[in-house]
Amino acid sequence: MKQNNLKHLFEKDVDRFINKNFNPPQSVCGKVVRVIGLTLEAKGIAAPLGAHCKVEGTGVNKAIDAEVVGFQDDILYLMPFDEPAGIAPGAKVWISSFQPEIPVGPDLLGRVIDGLGNPIDGKGPMVCEEKFHLEGEKINPMERGSISSVLDTGIKAINTCLTLGRGQRIGLMAGSGVGKSVLLGMLTRNTEADIVVIGLIGERGREVLEFIDRILGPEGLKKSVVVAAPANVSPVVRLKATHLSHLIAEYFRDQGKNVLLLCDSLTRVAHAQREIGLAVGEPPTAKGYPPSVFALMPKLIERAGVGKHGFGAITAVYTVLAEGDDKTDPIVDIARASLDGQVMLSRELADAAHYPAIDLEGSISRVMESIVDPKSMKKANKLRRLWTLFKQNQDLIQVGAYEPGTNHDLDEAIRLKKEMENLLQQNSDESFSFSDCHEMLAEVVGDQND
């Protein structure tokens, strides 16, 4: 029997094989010959990368789903979606889908799904008639629209000094426990968007329900789709959840919607790809990350942005964990190079109860100059300059080593310290419009007519 005939047969009847204990013909089955770490090695069957397979199990797990993640000669490397308990030597392997597609549609709104597109919120099945491949469709860079309009985030420090544009890709970068999740929640509630897609990738399982109940709430969930793949699921499922989050955002963008995509976190995505890469024999490079990680990051980030000819846009916010507060971490470094700007959070500010702990010295919005008027840009630059100057000389000021009158700009920074702090600080339940934020900025630094 030919391979193309098998494709139709198995994609249609794989459930029959499972539910009725039907054994597929030996001529179209492979078998498991070895289990090493996270991967299964199978012989006797050919399948392309990304294909889904069923692996015969025993006991409770009668069949286990797995994905083809590599091959060498006549050996296929499979990574299961669940724990491979119950798989015995010589277990049968057969193909369930050569090019798996996931249904996407408006019925996803208000739902919480896993990395394979299955609902996990107990609200019953979903009806999505269109199916798409997880990799999505690439957009010709010459057809992409430009970032031309301001995105109101409701956060004073961002609206004034780090103004974001609709369709921009930005990173929230910090060490652990500095306030990334709280700032992400503020962006979720306050940012103007038609649709919000939230990918909770590789984080704690308890945070999923907490994020939905405390941060989104019933009203926020109505226009949102949550894709959850916590740390205890297979790395291949975590990676699929990331691609699915981008696919859903692309679907709504192509309908002309302004989409806010939140991915928490990009570092956990890199960890998932690292686990897969090392399991199939890729050589480790910087901090143990294989080359596939550094190929994945820019490819993933490029899926966000303005749609064809300005039709719809995905504004993407990625959290990036700087392990040990190391700003030269490989993932932080490649994210900084690939994104349209970054918001750096400071542990020093967080320890001083300055929230959100946004460090203006390391933060930048690369599209701000093209979307705000020159006068507002001058005001923002002056605030950044005065704030940075004060922080750089803070130790001298506190010990009384600075003599007033030595530096005019520093004198002004000392005088405006309280006003600048009030502008840059904000409670998590507060929201300020873009126009109000710039009125406050003008009150602090004055009009910049020169």
Side-chain angles (χ1 to χ4, degrees):
M1 191 179 290
K2 293 183 179 180
Q3 190 82 354
N4 58 350
N5 292 331
L6 293 178
K7 176 180 176 180
H8 174 72
L9 172 66
F10 291 138
E11 288 186 349
K12 181 178 179 182
D13 294 338
V14 68
D15 289 335
R16 179 166 61 87
F17 293 155
I18 308 296
N19 297 333
K20 296 188 177 181
N21 266 337
F22 178 82
N23 288 321
Q26 295 294 328
S27 60
V28 298
C29 276
K31 64 179 182 178
V32 175
V33 295
R34 191 161 61 159
V35 178
I36 301 180
L38 301 174
T39 58
L40 314 176
E41 292 186 4
K43 279 189 174 183
I45 190 170
L49 289 174
H52 285 189
C53 296
K54 294 283 185 180
V55 183
E56 178 187 40
T58 59
V60 177
N61 296 324
K62 291 189 176 181
I64 293 173
D65 292 298
E67 180 175 313
V68 178
V69 294
F71 59 85
Q72 183 176 9
D73 298 328
D74 61 340
I75 297 177
L76 279 186
Y77 297 111
L78 309 176
M79 187 163 286
F81 296 165
D82 297 304
E83 290 295 325
I87 294 178
K92 295 174 184 176
V93 180
W94 62 94
I95 302 168
S96 60
S97 177
F98 280 74
Q99 290 184 329
E101 295 180 329
I102 290 187
V104 178
D107 211 35
L108 287 170
L109 289 175
R111 303 302 301 269
V112 184
I113 60 178
D114 64 13
L116 303 174
N118 303 311
I120 57 173
D121 53 7
K123 296 181 181 179
M126 301 175 298
V127 180
C128 299
E129 297 180 354
E130 296 185 79
K131 291 186 176 182
F132 301 91
H133 192 272
L134 278 176
E135 297 295 330
E137 181 183 348
K138 293 181 181 178
I139 297 179
N140 185 327
M142 296 301 293
E143 295 180 349
R144 273 196 187 272
S146 59
I147 300 174
S148 57
S149 57
V150 168
L151 182 73
D152 189 351
T153 64
I155 299 171
K156 292 186 289 183
I158 294 178
N159 277 352
T160 54
C161 298
L162 304 167
T163 305
L164 302 185
R166 202 175 294 279
Q168 186 172 354
R169 292 84 52 93
I170 197 83
L172 298 184
M173 303 179 179
S176 57
V178 183
K180 293 189 304 298
S181 297
V182 175
L183 183 55
L184 196 70
M186 294 172 69
L187 288 168
T188 305
R189 290 191 301 270
N190 301 337
T191 302
E192 294 180 348
D194 300 323
I195 305 291
V196 180
V197 180
I198 303 159
L200 301 175
I201 315 298
E203 298 297 325
R204 306 172 189 88
R206 69 168 179 81
E207 291 182 343
V208 177
L209 186 60
E210 185 178 302
F211 189 92
I212 293 168
D213 288 345
R214 290 182 53 192
I215 296 177
L216 271 182
E219 288 302 315
L221 186 59
K222 287 180 182 178
K223 66 170 186 176
S224 303
V225 183
V226 180
V227 183
N232 63 329
V233 304
S234 165
V236 72
V237 175
R238 278 179 265 151
L239 207 55
K240 283 183 174 295
T242 309
H243 287 295
L244 179 56
S245 303
H246 287 73
L247 176 64
I248 295 170
E250 288 171 333
Y251 171 81
F252 287 109
R253 177 198 63 193
D254 292 342
Q255 293 184 335
K257 304 291 187 181
N258 290 312
V259 182
L260 176 64
L261 170 64
L262 307 172
C263 184
D264 186 19
S265 73
L266 198 63
T267 305
R268 305 303 184 195
V269 175
H271 289 177
Q273 182 61 43
R274 178 171 63 182
E275 291 178 50
I276 296 171
L278 295 178
V280 298
E282 278 193 83
T285 55
K287 270 201 172 179
Y289 290 106
S292 60
V293 172
F294 302 106
L296 173 67
M297 295 292 104
K299 182 180 176 183
L300 200 61
I301 291 168
E302 280 301 311
R303 294 183 66 173
V306 182
K308 288 185 178 181
H309 309 295
F311 188 72
I314 301 172
T315 305
V317 180
Y318 300 93
T319 63
V320 183
L321 177 65
E323 298 182 4
D325 292 334
D326 182 10
K327 295 182 181 180
T328 62
D329 179 88
I331 303 305
V332 173
D333 203 38
I334 194 170
R336 188 163 41 215
S338 303
L339 293 166
D340 301 321
Q342 69 270 352
V343 177
M344 302 293 295
L345 302 186
S346 164
R347 188 172 299 277
E348 179 187 350
L349 291 175
D351 290 343
H354 178 116
Y355 294 110
I358 296 175
D359 181 8
L360 294 183
E361 293 183 61
S363 303
I364 189 173
S365 171
R366 294 193 174 98
V367 304
M368 180 175 177
E369 191 170 1
S370 62
I371 58 175
V372 300
D373 61 86
K375 187 177 289 188
S376 296
M377 193 69 196
K378 284 184 178 181
K379 294 175 187 174
N381 285 341
K382 181 175 181 180
L383 179 68
R384 288 173 63 98
R385 186 174 67 254
L386 294 178
W387 177 260
T388 301
L389 191 60
F390 179 85
K391 298 301 291 183
Q392 290 174 345
N393 293 276
Q394 188 171 8
D395 291 341
L396 290 176
I397 297 168
Q398 288 178 340
V399 299
Y402 172 72
E403 184 177 343
T406 305
N407 185 315
H408 173 74
D409 286 340
L410 184 53
D411 290 339
E412 187 176 10
I414 295 170
R415 180 175 58 83
L416 295 176
K417 174 182 177 290
K418 188 63 177 178
E419 288 81 355
M420 290 191 293
E421 282 184 337
N422 290 338
L423 178 62
L424 297 175
Q425 290 180 338
Q426 183 174 334
N427 294 329
S428 61
D429 57 351
E430 292 180 321
S431 178
F432 298 88
S433 69
F434 184 79
S435 58
D436 288 343
C437 291
H438 278 265
E439 286 179 8
M440 297 178 196
L441 175 62
E443 290 176 3
V444 174
V445 300
D447 290 327
Q448 301 298 301
N449 297 317
D450 49 335

